Amino acid sequence: MSTAPTPTSSLTSAVPHQLVQEGRAPRLLDVRTPGEFRTAHIPGSYNVPLSTLREHRAELLAHLDEDVVLVCRSGQRAAQAEKALSEAGLSNLRVLEGGIVAWETAGAPVNRGPERWDMERQVRLVAGSIVLATGLVGVLVPGAHLIGTAVGAGLTYAALSNSCAMGVLLSKLPYNRGPRPDIRTVIAELRSAP
């Protein structure tokens, strides 16, 4: 089995796991929210939420000169981060296929903090609650069910566009934000890393 990343834009968790074990880990940028990162993250990874990465990608470029592996929950946000960094001129990027979920499933090490619901689960709860509530209220109030229909349309669009407006809104809640990583601190950590 090869120990170097392949020239494709994604890689399975086995490659970075082996490199971490050998002490040759690539830069691991976790683009999830600070709350998600605190719940579970790959040892040695840096938390640069997707919104922060997009906003400060030019500043990050100078400090990402070796192979970079982008991590999120399942790979979707990491793919968006890859696109943003590629557009800024970085070419040494890979996305961890299956994200932190695949990493944990493979039995790779994870640093754990206080347990929180991941963003996908929060979106399912809010969307399902809205549909349920408007369906029940619709029995008494004609037309209320249309709110649930609108939520369904939004979820369909989210699936087709690989984006989620509800997830973006939920990520702004204090529960999910926590202390926002300061870009200067992240850059200092990237500079000081071996």
Side-chain angles (χ1 to χ4, degrees):
M1 178 176 172
S2 170
T3 58
T6 60
T8 61
S9 66
S10 68
L11 61 139
T12 65
S13 59
V15 174
H17 182 220
Q18 182 176 352
L19 293 174
V20 166
Q21 288 178 319
E22 295 172 358
R24 301 183 307 122
R27 297 286 176 128
L28 299 167
L29 296 187
D30 192 317
V31 299
R32 297 175 299 151
T33 66
E36 290 174 294
F37 183 80
R38 278 193 311 277
T39 297
H41 63 273
I42 299 171
S45 61
Y46 302 90
N47 185 216
V48 185
L50 183 57
S51 60
T52 301
L53 182 139
R54 284 180 174 147
E55 183 180 341
H56 297 283
R57 62 186 171 186
E59 297 165 65
L60 289 166
L61 288 180
H63 307 286
L64 300 174
D65 53 351
E66 65 271 350
D67 287 329
V68 176
V69 176
L70 300 162
V71 180
C72 67
R73 181 182 180 280
S74 63
Q76 292 180 0
R77 283 177 279 178
Q80 293 173 22
E82 177 188 31
K83 182 179 181 210
L85 289 172
S86 293
E87 288 172 354
L90 199 61
S91 62
N92 54 342
L93 301 165
R94 304 288 183 266
V95 171
L96 182 62
E97 193 176 290
I100 190 82
V101 172
W103 181 268
E104 286 186 278
T105 301
V110 174
N111 288 346
R112 293 211 173 276
E115 194 63 36
R116 292 176 180 264
W117 282 15
D118 60 56
M119 192 58 59
E120 184 179 314
R121 186 174 181 189
Q122 292 178 49
V123 168
R124 289 192 312 253
L125 173 70
V126 171
S129 297
I130 291 170
V131 171
L132 177 62
T134 58
L136 294 174
V137 169
V139 171
L140 302 173
V141 179
H145 70 283
L146 294 176
I147 296 170
T149 303
V151 170
L155 291 173
T156 302
Y157 175 78
L160 294 173
S161 68
N162 197 22
S163 65
C164 184
M166 188 179 294
V168 170
L169 291 173
L170 289 172
S171 72
K172 296 183 184 315
L173 293 174
Y175 172 80
N176 291 315
R177 280 187 304 180
R180 182 178 174 173
D182 177 49
I183 193 64
R184 290 182 300 273
T185 304
V186 171
I187 288 173
E189 290 172 353
L190 288 170
R191 262 192 223 131
S192 67

